[in-house]
Amino acid sequence: LFLFLITDKTVLWYASVPIYFIIWCPLRFLRGFATVSGAPASMSRFFYLSLHVYFKAIEVMEKFSELIRIRRSMRKFTEQELSQDEVVALLRAALMAPSSKGTHAWEFVVVDDKELLAGLSQCKDKGAELIAGAPLAVVVLADPAVSDVWVEDASVATTLMLLQAEDLGLGACWVQMRNRSMADGKPAEEMVRALLHIPDRLRVLSVVAVGHKGMERKPFNEDRLLWEKVHINTFDAPAE
């Protein structure tokens, strides 16, 4: 119950109203009074800053909850190029991704060349066509010799780029390459490696296609959440 009360955003917002008028406003007054009168303001400043952090935490929780709700895979893009700041923000998110034992086994290849994008779109039998219409793609690689959980590490980095793209108002889509192949059975990884001159020591996990959204998608319908997939303490249901 306690965890519900401190994490449920509706409860937090309703709880914020009395806190604002009963505590926040008087403390703002006290802080201002202490400043004018020269009296010690350390205590009021402490509570003031504490509440500031509290309200900021609520704001972040609200933004993230909305972010994961509206983020949808985008397969159509406009012709508008990404700005340098947008590209840097995407790569910053990827480079901040946590990795097992801090090994940072991943590597990233940023592709904006139209011919190379077209080539990437043909690297597997189906599902990669959208890359040709994207102004930018980030190829996510990792070194198995550096981390035995390179798949997980690279997946986390890929996910953070997807979320960062949405936060920037961009569209993005994860295009899987690992364990995928061409129609003739040739591994997609080999095609990507040959096209981008990737060393043999590196594995190719995915390609993240990014661009300005070329279509509208509705936010995730929470009525479709599969709560039956959640199990408490043990997997099996208690005996009746």
Side-chain angles (χ1 to χ4, degrees):
L1 177 60
F2 174 74
L3 288 175
F4 169 78
L5 290 176
I6 66 172
T7 57
D8 184 82
K9 62 183 179 182
T10 303
V11 173
L12 284 171
W13 279 116
Y14 278 108
S16 300
V17 175
I19 290 174
Y20 179 80
F21 288 105
I22 296 172
I23 302 177
W24 180 268
C25 291
L27 282 176
R28 287 185 67 110
F29 171 78
L30 288 174
R31 187 186 185 197
F33 176 77
T35 301
V36 173
S37 64
S42 58
M43 187 60 70
S44 65
R45 185 177 295 111
F46 171 77
F47 285 108
Y48 179 88
L49 293 176
S50 297
L51 284 175
H52 179 74
V53 172
Y54 173 78
F55 281 101
K56 281 294 183 182
I58 294 175
E59 182 181 356
V60 170
M61 290 173 63
E62 174 72 13
K63 286 183 177 180
F64 185 73
S65 296
E66 181 65 11
L67 182 66
I68 59 177
R69 191 178 73 88
I70 64 176
R71 192 220 66 79
R72 308 301 303 276
S73 294
M74 183 59 54
R75 294 178 172 82
K76 291 184 179 180
F77 307 96
T78 68
E79 295 182 358
Q80 182 178 351
E81 301 291 331
L82 273 66
S83 69
Q84 181 177 352
D85 287 344
E86 289 170 333
V87 177
V88 170
L90 288 168
L91 296 173
R92 180 174 175 271
L95 292 170
M96 290 178 69
S99 62
S100 176
K101 301 177 182 178
T103 52
H104 305 151
W106 20 249
E107 303 271 354
F108 307 97
V109 179
V110 182
V111 181
D112 61 2
D113 181 89
K114 297 300 183 184
E115 291 186 8
L116 291 177
L117 289 169
L120 287 173
S121 72
Q122 302 297 317
C123 282
K124 65 177 186 175
D125 186 27
K126 57 183 179 180
E129 299 86 356
L130 64 101
I131 299 175
L136 185 101
V138 181
V139 183
V140 183
L141 317 169
D143 190 341
V146 174
S147 174
D148 60 338
V149 290
W150 68 271
V151 174
E152 290 84 349
D153 288 349
S155 295
V156 173
T158 302
T159 301
L160 289 188
M161 279 193 285
L162 295 177
L163 291 171
Q164 181 64 78
E166 184 62 49
D167 190 51
L168 293 169
L170 303 172
C173 187
W174 178 326
V175 181
Q176 181 70 11
M177 291 296 171
R178 174 178 170 268
N179 291 343
R180 296 295 183 266
S181 61
M182 300 284 293
D184 60 3
K186 187 175 183 179
E189 284 190 71
E190 291 186 14
M191 298 291 293
V192 177
R193 186 176 288 108
L195 183 67
L196 303 181
H197 307 155
I198 296 170
D200 291 339
R201 63 181 176 83
L202 297 176
R203 296 289 305 274
V204 183
L205 176 83
S206 63
V207 176
V208 179
V210 190
H212 291 270
K213 298 177 181 180
M215 60 180 292
E216 293 293 329
R217 293 205 62 185
K218 295 180 180 180
F220 187 88
N221 181 1
E222 295 191 37
D223 292 335
R224 296 172 54 197
L225 290 175
L226 302 176
W227 288 106
E228 65 272 18
K229 299 288 189 179
V230 180
H231 310 273
I232 309 299
N233 291 327
T234 60
F235 186 92
D236 53 328
E240 297 183 359

